[in-house]
mmCIF file of all heavy atoms in Angstrom:
data_model
loop_
_atom_site.group_PDB
_atom_site.id
_atom_site.type_symbol
_atom_site.label_atom_id
_atom_site.label_comp_id
_atom_site.label_asym_id
_atom_site.label_seq_id
_atom_site.Cartn_x
_atom_site.Cartn_y
_atom_site.Cartn_z
ATOM 1 N N LEU A 1 -13.971 -3.025 11.353
ATOM 2 C CA LEU A 1 -13.299 -1.945 12.073
ATOM 3 C C LEU A 1 -14.182 -1.467 13.224
ATOM 4 O O LEU A 1 -15.408 -1.432 13.092
ATOM 5 C CB LEU A 1 -13.030 -0.770 11.128
ATOM 6 C CG LEU A 1 -12.035 -1.046 10.005
ATOM 7 C CD1 LEU A 1 -11.990 0.134 9.044
ATOM 8 C CD2 LEU A 1 -10.651 -1.330 10.578
ATOM 9 N N PRO A 2 -13.584 -1.109 14.348
ATOM 10 C CA PRO A 2 -14.378 -0.559 15.445
ATOM 11 C C PRO A 2 -15.081 0.723 14.980
ATOM 12 O O PRO A 2 -14.472 1.552 14.290
ATOM 13 C CB PRO A 2 -13.347 -0.251 16.529
ATOM 14 C CG PRO A 2 -12.155 -1.076 16.191
ATOM 15 C CD PRO A 2 -12.164 -1.215 14.705
ATOM 16 N N PRO A 3 -16.332 0.894 15.330
ATOM 17 C CA PRO A 3 -17.035 2.136 14.957
ATOM 18 C C PRO A 3 -16.285 3.359 15.477
ATOM 19 O O PRO A 3 -15.803 3.365 16.609
ATOM 20 C CB PRO A 3 -18.392 1.992 15.638
ATOM 21 C CG PRO A 3 -18.560 0.522 15.879
ATOM 22 C CD PRO A 3 -17.177 -0.021 16.094
ATOM 23 N N GLY A 4 -16.179 4.352 14.631
ATOM 24 C CA GLY A 4 -15.533 5.591 15.032
ATOM 25 C C GLY A 4 -14.030 5.629 14.839
ATOM 26 O O GLY A 4 -13.405 6.639 15.157
ATOM 27 N N LEU A 5 -13.431 4.543 14.341
ATOM 28 C CA LEU A 5 -11.980 4.534 14.117
ATOM 29 C C LEU A 5 -11.697 4.763 12.638
ATOM 30 O O LEU A 5 -11.937 3.883 11.809
ATOM 31 C CB LEU A 5 -11.363 3.204 14.555
ATOM 32 C CG LEU A 5 -9.860 3.062 14.279
ATOM 33 C CD1 LEU A 5 -9.067 4.093 15.077
ATOM 34 C CD2 LEU A 5 -9.393 1.652 14.592
ATOM 35 N N PRO A 6 -11.186 5.940 12.272
ATOM 36 C CA PRO A 6 -10.849 6.166 10.869
ATOM 37 C C PRO A 6 -9.577 5.395 10.491
ATOM 38 O O PRO A 6 -8.567 5.475 11.195
ATOM 39 C CB PRO A 6 -10.625 7.670 10.778
ATOM 40 C CG PRO A 6 -10.735 8.224 12.142
ATOM 41 C CD PRO A 6 -11.016 7.117 13.095
ATOM 42 N N VAL A 7 -9.668 4.647 9.410
ATOM 43 C CA VAL A 7 -8.527 3.882 8.909
ATOM 44 C C VAL A 7 -8.315 4.273 7.453
ATOM 45 O O VAL A 7 -9.248 4.252 6.653
ATOM 46 C CB VAL A 7 -8.763 2.358 9.049
ATOM 47 C CG1 VAL A 7 -7.650 1.572 8.379
ATOM 48 C CG2 VAL A 7 -8.864 1.980 10.516
ATOM 49 N N PHE A 8 -7.071 4.636 7.129
ATOM 50 C CA PHE A 8 -6.692 5.035 5.784
ATOM 51 C C PHE A 8 -5.670 4.035 5.254
ATOM 52 O O PHE A 8 -4.633 3.830 5.868
ATOM 53 C CB PHE A 8 -6.069 6.440 5.789
ATOM 54 C CG PHE A 8 -7.014 7.492 6.302
ATOM 55 C CD1 PHE A 8 -7.148 7.722 7.661
ATOM 56 C CD2 PHE A 8 -7.774 8.234 5.423
ATOM 57 C CE1 PHE A 8 -8.026 8.685 8.144
ATOM 58 C CE2 PHE A 8 -8.658 9.199 5.887
ATOM 59 C CZ PHE A 8 -8.783 9.427 7.254
ATOM 60 N N LEU A 9 -5.982 3.412 4.135
ATOM 61 C CA LEU A 9 -5.077 2.455 3.503
ATOM 62 C C LEU A 9 -4.544 3.068 2.217
ATOM 63 O O LEU A 9 -5.314 3.432 1.321
ATOM 64 C CB LEU A 9 -5.814 1.152 3.205
ATOM 65 C CG LEU A 9 -6.200 0.338 4.433
ATOM 66 C CD1 LEU A 9 -7.414 -0.521 4.159
ATOM 67 C CD2 LEU A 9 -5.030 -0.515 4.867
ATOM 68 N N HIS A 10 -3.232 3.188 2.122
ATOM 69 C CA HIS A 10 -2.569 3.743 0.943
ATOM 70 C C HIS A 10 -1.714 2.659 0.297
ATOM 71 O O HIS A 10 -1.086 1.860 0.988
ATOM 72 C CB HIS A 10 -1.635 4.892 1.336
ATOM 73 C CG HIS A 10 -2.344 6.110 1.822
ATOM 74 N ND1 HIS A 10 -2.556 7.199 1.030
ATOM 75 C CD2 HIS A 10 -2.889 6.403 3.035
ATOM 76 C CE1 HIS A 10 -3.193 8.130 1.722
ATOM 77 N NE2 HIS A 10 -3.404 7.677 2.944
ATOM 78 N N HIS A 11 -1.704 2.667 -1.046
ATOM 79 C CA HIS A 11 -0.846 1.724 -1.764
ATOM 80 C C HIS A 11 -0.486 2.320 -3.118
ATOM 81 O O HIS A 11 -1.309 2.993 -3.740
ATOM 82 C CB HIS A 11 -1.557 0.381 -1.961
ATOM 83 C CG HIS A 11 -0.610 -0.760 -2.127
ATOM 84 N ND1 HIS A 11 -0.526 -1.767 -1.214
ATOM 85 C CD2 HIS A 11 0.289 -1.052 -3.086
ATOM 86 C CE1 HIS A 11 0.380 -2.648 -1.612
ATOM 87 N NE2 HIS A 11 0.898 -2.216 -2.753
ATOM 88 N N CYS A 12 0.732 2.059 -3.558
ATOM 89 C CA CYS A 12 1.219 2.577 -4.835
ATOM 90 C C CYS A 12 1.225 1.460 -5.877
ATOM 91 O O CYS A 12 1.669 0.345 -5.602
ATOM 92 C CB CYS A 12 2.635 3.124 -4.681
ATOM 93 S SG CYS A 12 2.725 4.496 -3.526
ATOM 94 N N ARG A 13 0.746 1.803 -7.050
ATOM 95 C CA ARG A 13 0.674 0.836 -8.143
ATOM 96 C C ARG A 13 2.054 0.278 -8.500
ATOM 97 O O ARG A 13 2.192 -0.866 -8.888
ATOM 98 C CB ARG A 13 0.032 1.504 -9.368
ATOM 99 C CG ARG A 13 -0.381 0.548 -10.446
ATOM 100 C CD ARG A 13 -1.178 1.228 -11.541
ATOM 101 N NE ARG A 13 -2.408 1.852 -11.069
ATOM 102 C CZ ARG A 13 -3.561 1.196 -10.841
ATOM 103 N NH1 ARG A 13 -3.632 -0.101 -11.028
ATOM 104 N NH2 ARG A 13 -4.630 1.848 -10.432
ATOM 105 N N ASP A 14 3.103 1.072 -8.317
ATOM 106 C CA ASP A 14 4.447 0.614 -8.691
ATOM 107 C C ASP A 14 5.206 -0.040 -7.533
ATOM 108 O O ASP A 14 6.423 -0.209 -7.606
ATOM 109 C CB ASP A 14 5.253 1.761 -9.295
ATOM 110 C CG ASP A 14 5.562 2.881 -8.302
ATOM 111 O OD1 ASP A 14 4.939 2.926 -7.218
ATOM 112 O OD2 ASP A 14 6.410 3.729 -8.630
ATOM 113 N N ASP A 15 4.506 -0.442 -6.475
ATOM 114 C CA ASP A 15 5.152 -1.135 -5.356
ATOM 115 C C ASP A 15 5.786 -2.416 -5.877
ATOM 116 O O ASP A 15 5.115 -3.249 -6.478
ATOM 117 C CB ASP A 15 4.114 -1.448 -4.272
ATOM 118 C CG ASP A 15 4.737 -1.994 -3.000
ATOM 119 O OD1 ASP A 15 5.582 -2.906 -3.083
ATOM 120 O OD2 ASP A 15 4.359 -1.528 -1.918
ATOM 121 N N GLY A 16 7.061 -2.585 -5.620
ATOM 122 C CA GLY A 16 7.785 -3.756 -6.094
ATOM 123 C C GLY A 16 7.779 -4.925 -5.128
ATOM 124 O O GLY A 16 8.362 -5.964 -5.414
ATOM 125 N N THR A 17 7.127 -4.783 -3.981
ATOM 126 C CA THR A 17 7.128 -5.847 -2.978
ATOM 127 C C THR A 17 5.732 -6.385 -2.712
ATOM 128 O O THR A 17 5.499 -7.582 -2.832
ATOM 129 C CB THR A 17 7.746 -5.332 -1.660
ATOM 130 O OG1 THR A 17 9.061 -4.833 -1.930
ATOM 131 C CG2 THR A 17 7.829 -6.438 -0.631
ATOM 132 N N VAL A 18 4.814 -5.523 -2.329
ATOM 133 C CA VAL A 18 3.449 -5.947 -2.016
ATOM 134 C C VAL A 18 2.578 -5.710 -3.254
ATOM 135 O O VAL A 18 2.485 -4.581 -3.730
ATOM 136 C CB VAL A 18 2.879 -5.157 -0.815
ATOM 137 C CG1 VAL A 18 1.440 -5.567 -0.533
ATOM 138 C CG2 VAL A 18 3.750 -5.367 0.418
ATOM 139 N N PRO A 19 1.967 -6.761 -3.787
ATOM 140 C CA PRO A 19 1.135 -6.593 -4.981
ATOM 141 C C PRO A 19 0.020 -5.567 -4.754
ATOM 142 O O PRO A 19 -0.623 -5.542 -3.708
ATOM 143 C CB PRO A 19 0.559 -7.984 -5.227
ATOM 144 C CG PRO A 19 1.543 -8.919 -4.589
ATOM 145 C CD PRO A 19 2.052 -8.171 -3.376
ATOM 146 N N PHE A 20 -0.178 -4.729 -5.743
ATOM 147 C CA PHE A 20 -1.168 -3.664 -5.679
ATOM 148 C C PHE A 20 -2.572 -4.226 -5.424
ATOM 149 O O PHE A 20 -3.396 -3.589 -4.775
ATOM 150 C CB PHE A 20 -1.134 -2.864 -6.983
ATOM 151 C CG PHE A 20 -1.973 -1.629 -6.975
ATOM 152 C CD1 PHE A 20 -1.657 -0.542 -6.175
ATOM 153 C CD2 PHE A 20 -3.094 -1.535 -7.780
ATOM 154 C CE1 PHE A 20 -2.430 0.606 -6.177
ATOM 155 C CE2 PHE A 20 -3.878 -0.395 -7.795
ATOM 156 C CZ PHE A 20 -3.540 0.682 -6.986
ATOM 157 N N GLU A 21 -2.856 -5.428 -5.893
ATOM 158 C CA GLU A 21 -4.169 -6.045 -5.748
ATOM 159 C C GLU A 21 -4.521 -6.339 -4.297
ATOM 160 O O GLU A 21 -5.687 -6.562 -3.977
ATOM 161 C CB GLU A 21 -4.249 -7.346 -6.564
ATOM 162 C CG GLU A 21 -4.118 -7.149 -8.059
ATOM 163 C CD GLU A 21 -2.689 -6.863 -8.519
ATOM 164 O OE1 GLU A 21 -1.720 -7.290 -7.845
ATOM 165 O OE2 GLU A 21 -2.548 -6.183 -9.550
ATOM 166 N N HIS A 22 -3.542 -6.338 -3.416
ATOM 167 C CA HIS A 22 -3.842 -6.566 -1.997
ATOM 168 C C HIS A 22 -4.763 -5.481 -1.463
ATOM 169 O O HIS A 22 -5.574 -5.728 -0.584
ATOM 170 C CB HIS A 22 -2.557 -6.645 -1.182
ATOM 171 C CG HIS A 22 -1.820 -7.925 -1.372
ATOM 172 N ND1 HIS A 22 -1.064 -8.504 -0.375
ATOM 173 C CD2 HIS A 22 -1.701 -8.749 -2.437
ATOM 174 C CE1 HIS A 22 -0.525 -9.630 -0.815
ATOM 175 N NE2 HIS A 22 -0.895 -9.787 -2.081
ATOM 176 N N LEU A 23 -4.637 -4.278 -2.013
ATOM 177 C CA LEU A 23 -5.506 -3.189 -1.589
ATOM 178 C C LEU A 23 -6.967 -3.491 -1.912
ATOM 179 O O LEU A 23 -7.862 -3.167 -1.129
ATOM 180 C CB LEU A 23 -5.069 -1.880 -2.253
ATOM 181 C CG LEU A 23 -5.734 -0.602 -1.760
ATOM 182 C CD1 LEU A 23 -5.506 -0.390 -0.264
ATOM 183 C CD2 LEU A 23 -5.225 0.588 -2.553
ATOM 184 N N ASP A 24 -7.223 -4.160 -3.036
ATOM 185 C CA ASP A 24 -8.592 -4.551 -3.393
ATOM 186 C C ASP A 24 -9.173 -5.511 -2.352
ATOM 187 O O ASP A 24 -10.356 -5.419 -2.007
ATOM 188 C CB ASP A 24 -8.626 -5.218 -4.772
ATOM 189 C CG ASP A 24 -8.209 -4.274 -5.889
ATOM 190 O OD1 ASP A 24 -8.398 -3.051 -5.751
ATOM 191 O OD2 ASP A 24 -7.691 -4.782 -6.903
#
């Protein structure tokens, strides 16, 4: 990530489309 750019990644355990493990 570029220095100084805050990035927030959110994911829900019960997501039925994107596997929760992608967040890991």
Side-chain angles (χ1 to χ4, degrees):
L1 294 173
L5 176 64
V7 173
F8 299 84
L9 291 153
H10 291 260
H11 205 115
C12 298
R13 193 172 300 279
D14 66 346
D15 188 312
T17 304
V18 178
F20 188 68
E21 296 75 27
H22 285 212
L23 189 59
D24 296 332

